[in-house]
Structure formats: structure tokens, C-alpha cells
Amino acid sequence: MTIPHDALRRTLLRAPLLAAVAGALPASPAFAAASDAARKATHPDDPAHAFDFFLGTWQVRYRRLRERLADNHDWEEFEGVCKTQPLFAGLANFDESTVNRPGLPYHGLGLRSFDPATRTWADWWLDTRNPQRLDPPMIGGFADGVGTFYGEDEWRGAKVKVRGLWKDIRADELQWEQAYSADGGKTWETNWVSRYRRIA
């Protein structure tokens, strides 16, 4: 039996193959940039996409306050690398970090997930210094280009409030800061700063 070689049949037969090849090959940078621009134009204020800026690979400069909640002003600085990938079609993401702290290098895992019902994000942390303890999540979202997240934790046996800020967000750099409050949120002490610079 001879199959007619009309244009419509050729298109129908080639469509699954082209779709498979497109799914197997990485998108070109130009295509990815165009897709990202289109997504932002379609959903400029969609909180479900609020963390899209963090996807990719980053060089990180860390600053850590040596003593927390002790009126200390002595900081140590060190380097690291962070790679962030999407989950659940973009409604969650995770990053794997290498933290090259002198004398105590470790690996960390950050996990963030969006709740459409509350339109908020949760942000968790786990690392190899205590590999069976997942930190309590900080909950929050973004407004005016700044992500503000709050949670609670313990520091040396006492309950403290924790705040995380995502700020100075640009295409190739951003900053994250952690602060503690021992007085219920009246005053805050920043004890950790991560400065990210995109490398891929």
C-alpha cells in the first residue's frame, strides 16, 4: 500500500519525533532567555514564580557573625558554590551548597515550596553538620523586590525568632541575610550574609 506524501501527513508523522528530540536537548541560551522573558511578561506578579531568579549555579561569598546575640561584631568570611534546580513544575526548588568554612567545611540543602492556598513559600535548611535535623521552615513571600521570611528556632536552649531576607536581586547577583531576635521581633541582629554571583 502506498502512503500519500502530502504535507499534512508528513507533519503528523514527524511531530512526535520532533517533540522527543526537543525534550532531550537542552534549550539554547537565547531560547531560554526568550522563554523566561515571555513567562515574566505573562505572570509578572505571580508568587508561584517568585523564586525563579534563584535557579542556576552561583559563586557565594559568606559572612558569618562569630558569636550570636552576644553584642559581637567579629565576622568571618569564606567562599562556596550553590546550585539551584526546580521541582514540581516550578512550584518548589532545592539548592545544594558547598560551604568552605575554614576548619569546618560542610554541604547544605535548601528546600523551598509554594502553597497556592496561602500564596506563601516555605524555606527549609539541612546540612551535613547535623544530617538528621531539618531546620523549622521560615514562611513568607515577596513584595517590592524583597523576600521576607519568618520562623522560630532555638539558640543555646532559648527560643528565638528567625528572619530571612532575599534582597538586592538582579539577574546575576543577589543577597540573602539571616537575623535572630531574642525579644519577640522588636530588635534584630543579622548573623549571616550570603552574597551570590551567577556563574551558570
Side-chain angles (χ1 to χ4, degrees):
M1 177 178 173
T2 302
I3 299 176
H5 294 283
D6 59 275
L8 178 59
R9 183 176 294 275
R10 285 197 304 271
T11 300
L12 292 174
L13 290 173
R14 283 167 32 197
L17 178 61
L18 291 174
V21 171
L25 295 175
S28 69
F31 179 80
S35 298
D36 187 56
R39 193 269 306 157
K40 288 180 179 177
T42 306
H43 308 286
D45 299 312
D46 185 353
H49 291 279
F51 268 106
D52 284 6
F53 69 87
F54 198 40
L55 302 179
T57 303
W58 306 83
Q59 184 74 37
V60 193
R61 181 69 175 175
Y62 298 107
R63 297 183 73 234
R64 174 187 176 275
L65 194 62
R66 292 184 186 273
E67 293 291 336
R68 298 178 180 178
L69 300 176
D71 196 27
N72 179 263
H73 305 284
D74 185 16
W75 293 80
E76 60 177 324
E77 299 191 15
F78 38 94
E79 302 289 332
V81 176
C82 172
K83 183 176 182 180
T84 307
Q85 302 180 60
L87 293 169
F88 307 157
L91 294 181
N93 63 74
F94 74 97
D95 68 77
E96 184 177 2
S97 297
T98 300
V99 182
N100 297 316
R101 183 182 173 193
L104 187 61
Y106 59 93
H107 295 276
L109 175 71
L111 173 65
R112 288 155 293 274
S113 182
F114 180 70
D115 182 353
T118 62
R119 297 173 68 83
T120 59
W121 284 83
D123 190 352
W124 292 267
W125 176 256
L126 172 71
D127 68 54
T128 54
R129 295 171 299 178
N130 195 345
Q132 293 188 344
R133 180 184 186 273
L134 187 65
D135 280 353
M138 290 189 285
I139 307 294
F142 287 78
D144 300 322
V146 176
T148 305
F149 289 72
Y150 293 102
E152 293 186 349
D153 206 344
E154 286 191 4
W155 179 248
R156 295 182 175 173
K159 292 284 187 182
V160 295
K161 288 190 176 294
V162 186
R163 182 185 67 194
L165 292 179
W166 298 85
K167 55 190 289 190
D168 301 335
I169 299 169
R170 300 178 181 85
D172 295 319
E173 60 182 13
L174 64 109
Q175 184 162 301
W176 181 80
E177 299 177 1
Q178 175 183 270
Y180 280 2
S181 174
D183 57 12
K186 295 177 183 178
T187 61
W188 295 91
E189 176 189 81
T190 299
N191 56 51
W192 188 283
V193 177
S194 302
R195 189 69 190 176
Y196 295 85
R197 180 176 57 83
R198 186 182 298 279
I199 55 178

